[in-house]
Amino acid sequence: MSGKSSILPDDQVFADFKKQCLSTENWLNKYDKNDMQVWIEQPNPSNRVGNNYPKVHKIKCKMMIKDVPAATMYDVLHDGEYRKKWDPNMLESYDIAKLSDNADVGYYSWLCPKPIKNRDVVTLRSWKVTDDEYIIVNFSVKHPKYPPVSHLVRAVSIQTGYYIKATGPKSCMFIYLSQADPKGALPKWVVNKASQVLAPRVMKSVHRAGQNYLQWKQENSPSLKPWLYPEQSTLPMMNPAQLSVQRADSLENVDEMSKVDALDGEDSS
């Protein structure tokens, strides 16, 4: 890769992400029922800083889908218009610019349970498709025109993505993997416990969205799929060199500790 496009993921990034998705080594199972499993990554001693491990778990969810093709699930993840229909947590979501035929930069904000402040994120998303595999990965970036705003907490996606593999004409293996820091000053247990509880709910929502997508798409620009046909994209082009990786430690922590004191008393595991 050239220096200008070095922020864009290359084939090795996709290969490493796939390897993480399929690996079982150093992963602890936290949920296993109804064709769905949730794992958290076990702390690696080499990642230790002083006496501490990284604050936020890496979480992985796997769902065996028996009634939706892999290609349809992939379309669901890309289709921003459809997401407005099925994602109840979304406040606002839009694509900002195109970086290449398989990469863009976008904005997403979402509702958090009161009294916690709502979050937003700016991410670089890229994707790769082979015969029976679909991979989407994203990570947080700094965009000069989209700085953090006062009424939302800017979260950080360290690495988040999806791996989808066809297992039949109308079935697939669907894996979601994420390491994200919601920022603020939430206790570690709140962040990690919430992710383990919410992940299966989100997966079920995505599955339902997949079941209903084909009917919806038939009535809403059925031939428009710029993630498959780059020439359809109407996004402005942007030089990737204008973006930089957003590090969690460069964002201010908003004090939310007092807001979760009541929760902390209920469960401090």
Side-chain angles (χ1 to χ4, degrees):
M1 291 186 297
S2 67
K4 282 187 177 181
S5 61
S6 61
I7 196 171
L8 293 178
D10 57 14
D11 286 343
Q12 188 60 49
V13 170
F14 289 107
D16 289 344
F17 183 80
K18 174 183 174 180
K19 184 178 179 181
Q20 287 186 74
C21 286
L22 299 178
S23 172
T24 55
E25 188 176 353
N26 294 324
W27 289 89
L28 177 66
N29 185 269
K30 302 292 284 188
Y31 180 98
D32 188 353
K33 60 182 177 180
N34 301 326
D35 292 318
M36 191 185 307
Q37 298 170 315
V38 178
W39 295 274
I40 56 170
E41 188 178 42
Q42 293 283 72
N44 186 331
S46 64
N47 293 335
R48 198 175 210 166
V49 179
N51 291 321
N52 299 314
Y53 290 108
K55 175 186 176 184
V56 185
H57 285 159
K58 187 179 291 183
I59 187 168
K60 177 166 63 176
C61 309
K62 175 182 175 182
M63 179 167 51
M64 300 306 294
I65 295 176
K66 300 174 181 177
D67 57 356
V68 186
T72 301
M73 294 304 300
Y74 179 69
D75 288 349
V76 166
L77 295 174
H78 271 289
D79 200 321
E81 284 303 307
Y82 186 55
R83 185 163 192 169
K84 296 173 185 177
K85 302 289 183 182
W86 67 264
D87 185 352
N89 297 314
M90 185 177 77
L91 282 172
E92 191 175 16
S93 180
Y94 50 85
D95 299 328
I96 297 169
K98 181 177 176 179
L99 304 174
S100 72
D101 281 351
N102 70 320
D104 59 21
V105 58
Y107 175 87
Y108 180 78
S109 59
W110 68 96
L111 291 163
C112 292
K114 291 183 179 180
I116 306 303
K117 291 187 75 170
N118 296 329
R119 260 56 179 177
D120 72 349
V121 68
V122 175
T123 57
L124 189 162
R125 175 181 62 171
S126 58
W127 53 92
K128 182 177 182 180
V129 178
T130 58
D131 290 340
D132 65 346
E133 291 182 335
Y134 304 80
I135 301 175
I136 303 174
V137 294
N138 78 53
F139 57 89
S140 283
V141 290
K142 294 180 182 178
H143 189 296
K145 295 182 179 179
Y146 295 87
V149 292
S150 60
H151 64 286
L152 296 168
V153 175
R154 178 61 51 90
V156 176
S157 168
I158 300 166
Q159 184 183 51
T160 298
Y162 301 88
Y163 172 79
I164 310 169
K165 183 176 178 64
T167 56
K170 293 185 178 180
S171 61
C172 62
M173 174 173 64
F174 185 96
I175 296 176
Y176 166 74
L177 186 148
S178 179
Q179 186 174 24
D181 188 339
K183 295 303 293 180
L186 300 174
K188 175 186 172 184
W189 73 265
V190 172
V191 174
N192 294 328
K193 190 175 183 66
S195 65
Q196 293 167 36
V197 171
L198 293 175
R201 295 182 196 169
V202 173
M203 295 286 274
K204 289 172 185 173
S205 293
V206 177
H207 182 197
R208 282 194 298 272
Q211 292 170 323
N212 299 321
Y213 181 68
L214 292 181
Q215 181 177 347
W216 179 89
K217 190 61 174 172
Q218 285 175 0
E219 303 166 2
N220 295 271
S221 306
S223 61
L224 183 63
K225 295 184 178 182
W227 53 93
L228 296 179
Y229 312 110
E231 67 277 6
Q232 294 181 343
S233 176
T234 58
L235 289 174
M237 285 296 298
M238 181 179 184
N239 185 340
Q242 294 179 261
L243 301 170
S244 58
V245 176
Q246 175 70 72
R247 308 290 183 187
D249 56 9
S250 69
L251 288 170
E252 178 185 4
N253 272 329
V254 177
D255 182 13
E256 297 176 297
M257 292 294 285
S258 60
K259 297 181 179 182
V260 295
D261 279 348
L263 290 172
D264 210 352
E266 294 174 15
D267 187 346
S268 57
S269 58

